Amino acid sequence: MSTQKRTIDEDTLDKLLYLSRLSPESTNLSILKKQVDDIVGYFEILSKYDDSENPYDAYPATKAECLRDDEVVQGLDIPDVKKITDKFMDGYFQVPKVLGEGA
């Protein structure tokens, strides 16, 4: 690993300005270049850490044989549903409107 600090060149800075939709006239280029160079320096610090381990090892694995069986069970009959709520009519539940006007 190199001991010299990496910096961005003017061409890369121009491309960053274009991608971020900043104009050179409205931006102090020396301050922006220093900030981008600092960000590049942070990536150099992060690259020193070992990232060879699998990030998915932090999460428990789910085995297919531990999942519940797909069984068809009897659902609710319409008269039972009508007992649960009074917002059921003609086979549909009445719900609050969620879309605004013009949708």
Side-chain angles (χ1 to χ4, degrees), residues 10 13-14 17 23-25 27-34:
E10 295 299 321
L13 185 61
D14 289 338
L17 286 172
S23 65
E25 297 83 27
T27 307
N28 187 337
L29 293 180
S30 61
I31 293 175
L32 181 66
K33 183 173 180 343
K34 181 185 178 316

Side-chain angles (χ1 to χ4, degrees), residues 3 5 12 22 28 31 35 39 55 70 77 82 97:
T3 57
K5 185 177 178 183
T12 306
L22 294 173
N28 187 337
I31 293 175
Q35 290 173 342
I39 292 170
D70 287 332
D77 292 326
K82 288 183 179 179
K97 185 176 180 181

Side-chain angles (χ1 to χ4, degrees), residues 9-76:
D9 57 0
E10 295 299 321
D11 184 49
T12 306
L13 185 61
D14 289 338
K15 289 178 183 176
L16 285 173
L17 286 172
Y18 175 75
L19 288 173
S20 61
R21 305 294 190 249
L22 294 173
S23 65
E25 297 83 27
S26 67
T27 307
N28 187 337
L29 293 180
S30 61
I31 293 175
L32 181 66
K33 183 173 180 343
K34 181 185 178 316
Q35 290 173 342
V36 173
D37 287 340
D38 290 343
I39 292 170
V40 170
Y42 294 139
F43 281 106
E44 289 177 1
I45 292 170
L46 290 174
S47 68
K48 294 178 184 177
Y49 293 97
D50 180 28
D51 63 348
S52 61
E53 69 180 46
N54 187 351
Y56 297 107
D57 288 343
Y59 304 102
T62 303
K63 297 180 181 171
E65 58 269 3
C66 295
L67 299 176
R68 66 174 172 81
D69 295 330
D70 287 332
E71 296 177 13
V72 178
V73 295
Q74 180 66 32
L76 294 174

